[in-house]
Amino acid sequence: MENVAACYHCGEALPTAFQSVMLDGAERAMCCSGCAGAAAWIRDAGLDDYYRLRQRGGSRVATEATDFSAWDRDDIQAQHARELDGGREITVVVEGMHCAACAWLIDRALHREPGVREVQANAITGRVIVRWDTAKTRLSIILARLSALGYTPHLAPDEALERARRHERNTLLIRLGVAGLGTLQAMMFAEALYLDFDNQMPVATRDFFRWITFAVSAPVVFYSGWPFLAGMARELRQHRFGMDTLVATSVLLAYFASLIETIRGGPHVWFDAAVMFVLLLLSARVIERLARQRANAGVDALARARPALAWRVGEHDERTQVPLASLLVGDTVIVGAGEALAADGVLLNAPAQFDEALLTGEPLPRTHAPGDTVYAGSVCRGVPARVRVQRTGQDTRLSHLVRLVEQAQAQRPRLARLADAIAGRFVVALFGAAAITALVWWQLAPERAFEVTLAVLVVSCPCALSLAIPAALSTAQGALARIGVLSLQADALETLAHADTVVFDKTGTLSCGKPQIKTTQTFDGFDTAQALAIAAALERDAGHPLAHAFRSASALSAQQVQVQAGAGVSGAVDGVTYRLGRADFSHGGHDDGRIWLASNGRAIAQFTLFDATRNDAAAVLAQLRHLNLRCELLSGDAEPAVNALADELGIPIAHARQSPEDKLAHLKALQAQGHVVAMVGDGINDAPVLAGANVSLAMGGGAPLAHRSADMVLTGDSLRRIPEAIALARRTRRIVRQNLAWALGYNAIALPLAALGWVTPWLAALGMAGSSLLVTLNALRLTRPSPLTASEPR
């Protein structure tokens, strides 16, 4: 073991005093007792081939055994396990499974546990499916063995939904496989019929090929094509014509007309067109489905970010693993390194780093100090953290964002509804055109009438038109989520693309929203600490950003608190009524931009506050100007502070001392001038203004009411998402226009060619599917990051 620097099991650096295990006739260095124990077990179990097969080092094994007894609870297994005959099945997400050798080891190791009936480990997805006999073993024993090998198991959230998605995906892929195999066989026999140019093939041979083609086409038409047949039935029940009606009608016409021609010995059959139509359309649908899943991956990850279990710390520092439903406000939980936080809370004891990428889009972990608020779904990095629970379940910020996104996904954008309406009318018109084509060709060449009519139906199927807008919008929504913007209204993206004016609030938007007391002055001998305590009591429940400035004061209790938007707050402390806010509000003085505390019209204290500008504000304003957007500032703060910030950031138009009514009136005036206004804010007072703008964006750390009033929410505190979202909206608009132009142009050219008899049915199927595939692939370009550009007109 000379010159060995890394643990043989996990690959981490060796400490000064390390252990060793005999493997393959040689002493192997181990960094800790956990890795040594795992290696010894693997050797004794005869599974040391793992070390020869693996592609990289394993995960370090904890020296203390993990208690998985909570996994044996009936309420946990009822949510995550599935009942089987004589046992149960559960899917767990495994941390540390890197390669096929890891999957091999997990499979062999767990199969050695009594009561384990089947194990399926997938190194690609990181999931392990375990089926066990509940009468012979407990789930906690199986998971303890998994953990002892260095593979940390986690419950897979929404496993029922994942199982349904897997079933849907697998079924679709099987349908595609059947369609591909059947089409290959049908085309092979059809080619033999096509090559009989001089009609020299014996009739018996010809009919044999036709009946074979009929047989291999049946699974393609009725199994692989079932989604289109079911879609047609659904559309007919709803008394409307859609894309599925046209597809299914074309396929069934080609299939049964070919059957009739086969029976009567006619000159032509079109089995190849029917199966090719199904194969190509199904391929386009699979690609489009995968594109949607890729686009929604960020939102799905957000919904799955919260763990199913948490470690609660008791009065005597004992730890108990409990389900989320058992967590209560005020509980203390401990979050291990690499684990996700189960609830919103306050960080205790020591600084800690949390990876908030899913919530904010920020790639680097953020360091929090004791007293900071941390959110459910954040992943603890470095060292374990203790957190006092403040909000659980549906009250967490994560659940709030998920609900907003789900509501948005339930809506259909105006452009998508318009595309559906156009496609529906186009289908009706196409049936009419096909009928006219059939009548004309029946007069000109009856033997070609059906073939030409079928080509017309197939070549002009509005699949590309139906996909043109939804494919682009769904891809854009996924791209928005990846940059940290959640779209809450169906038409927000379209409106944002047309915005020409961006109006900002000041506090909490362009500034950090964490004002600090710069100076304090009291009058008539009033105690400074008492003044700060009274101010803190008034601000505590007022929802003002100013409350942050007084958070360090020893707050008293205030009653009868009333807020006057844009002016201040009033209330009673120890039976005395106080007012805190602008000078004209607190004691009738001249507004000088400072915060005044007064009682009975007499000034008691004066506070000068300072709120730092966000680090990225200047760069973001410059990017917005580069995008040819005019920027304005509306704030309820005093004129000196507002003008100073406007000068610092180069904002030409700034308005101070604006009440919510004043802000809304200004927005209405801009809209009356023809401007499309995007409003950016974060506070409760901004809610009516956000609702009145053409499109609005709320800061992620802002008030929930602002979120509900906004069209989009920035999941983090960075302003850089705003120009990125606007640029993406404009790219989406361009992609939509390109898709529509292609879809309409293709149909305008293909329909006359087919009606003239220049396009065969199989070539029509190829052209139609190619058109659908093109618009889908064009929409996928939105997943690629693009530099900000001002080249596009609004």
Side-chain angles (χ1 to χ4, degrees), residues 1 19 55 65 206 269 271 352 380 425 518 561 676 690 776 790:
M1 292 190 298
Q19 303 183 36
Q55 299 172 356
R206 183 200 66 184
V269 291
F271 291 119
C380 182
R425 290 179 173 85
K518 191 174 182 179
V561 175
V676 179
L690 293 171
T776 301

Coordinates of all heavy atoms in Angstrom, one line a residue, residues 1 19 55 65 206 269 271 352 380 425 518 561 676 690 776 790:
M1 N 0.8 -1.2 0.0 CA 0.0 0.0 0.0 C 0.8 1.3 0.0 O 0.4 2.3 0.4 CB -0.9 0.0 1.2 CG -2.0 -1.0 1.2 SD -3.3 -0.7 2.5 CE -2.2 -0.9 3.9
Q19 N -7.5 2.6 7.5 CA -7.7 1.2 7.7 C -7.4 0.4 6.4 O -7.2 1.1 5.4 CB -9.1 0.9 8.2 CG -9.5 1.6 9.5 CD -10.9 1.2 9.9 OE1 -11.3 0.1 9.8 NE2 -11.6 2.2 10.5
Q55 N -16.6 1.8 -13.1 CA -16.0 2.8 -13.9 C -15.4 3.9 -13.1 O -14.6 4.7 -13.6 CB -16.9 3.3 -14.9 CG -17.4 2.2 -15.9 CD -18.6 2.7 -16.8 OE1 -19.0 3.9 -16.7 NE2 -19.0 1.9 -17.7
A65 N -24.6 3.9 11.4 CA -25.8 3.3 10.7 C -26.9 4.3 10.7 O -27.2 4.9 11.7 CB -26.2 2.0 11.3
R206 N -50.0 -12.0 -56.9 CA -50.4 -10.6 -56.5 C -51.3 -10.6 -55.3 O -51.1 -9.8 -54.3 CB -51.0 -9.9 -57.7 CG -51.4 -8.4 -57.5 CD -52.5 -8.0 -58.5 NE -53.7 -8.7 -58.2 CZ -54.8 -8.6 -59.0 NH1 -54.8 -7.8 -60.0 NH2 -55.9 -9.2 -58.7
V269 N -54.0 -0.9 -54.5 CA -54.2 -0.9 -53.1 C -53.3 0.1 -52.4 O -52.2 0.5 -53.0 CB -53.9 -2.3 -52.5 CG1 -54.9 -3.4 -52.9 CG2 -52.5 -2.8 -52.8
F271 N -52.3 0.0 -48.9 CA -51.9 -0.4 -47.5 C -50.6 0.4 -47.1 O -50.5 0.8 -45.9 CB -51.6 -1.9 -47.4 CG -52.9 -2.7 -47.6 CD1 -53.0 -3.6 -48.6 CD2 -53.9 -2.6 -46.6 CE1 -54.1 -4.4 -48.7 CE2 -55.0 -3.4 -46.8 CZ -55.2 -4.3 -47.8
A352 N -24.7 28.2 7.1 CA -24.8 27.0 6.3 C -25.1 27.4 4.9 O -25.6 28.5 4.6 CB -25.9 26.1 6.8
C380 N -29.1 21.3 1.3 CA -28.1 21.7 2.2 C -26.7 21.2 1.7 O -26.6 20.0 1.2 CB -28.3 21.1 3.6 SG -27.1 21.5 4.8
R425 N -61.5 24.5 -38.5 CA -62.2 25.0 -39.8 C -61.5 24.5 -41.0 O -62.1 24.2 -42.0 CB -62.2 26.5 -39.8 CG -63.2 27.1 -38.7 CD -63.2 28.6 -38.7 NE -64.2 29.2 -37.8 CZ -64.0 29.4 -36.5 NH1 -62.9 29.0 -36.0 NH2 -65.0 29.9 -35.8
K518 N -29.7 54.6 9.0 CA -28.4 55.3 8.9 C -28.2 56.2 10.0 O -27.1 56.2 10.6 CB -28.5 56.1 7.6 CG -27.1 56.7 7.2 CD -27.2 57.4 5.8 CE -25.9 57.9 5.3 NZ -26.0 58.5 4.0
V561 N -53.3 48.2 14.7 CA -52.4 48.6 13.7 C -53.1 48.9 12.4 O -53.9 48.0 12.0 CB -51.3 47.6 13.5 CG1 -50.4 48.0 12.3 CG2 -50.4 47.4 14.7
V676 N -47.2 49.4 -24.5 CA -47.5 48.1 -23.9 C -46.5 48.0 -22.7 O -45.3 48.0 -22.9 CB -47.2 46.9 -24.9 CG1 -47.4 45.6 -24.2 CG2 -48.1 47.0 -26.1
L690 N -49.6 45.8 -10.5 CA -49.2 44.6 -11.2 C -50.4 44.1 -12.0 O -50.3 43.6 -13.2 CB -48.7 43.5 -10.3 CG -47.3 43.8 -9.6 CD1 -47.0 42.7 -8.6 CD2 -46.2 43.8 -10.6
T776 N -41.8 21.1 -35.1 CA -41.4 20.7 -33.8 C -39.9 20.9 -33.5 O -39.5 21.4 -32.5 CB -41.7 19.2 -33.6 OG1 -43.1 18.9 -33.7 CG2 -41.3 18.7 -32.2
A790 N -31.1 43.1 -30.0 CA -32.2 44.2 -30.2 C -32.6 44.2 -31.6 O -33.3 45.1 -32.1 CB -31.6 45.5 -29.8

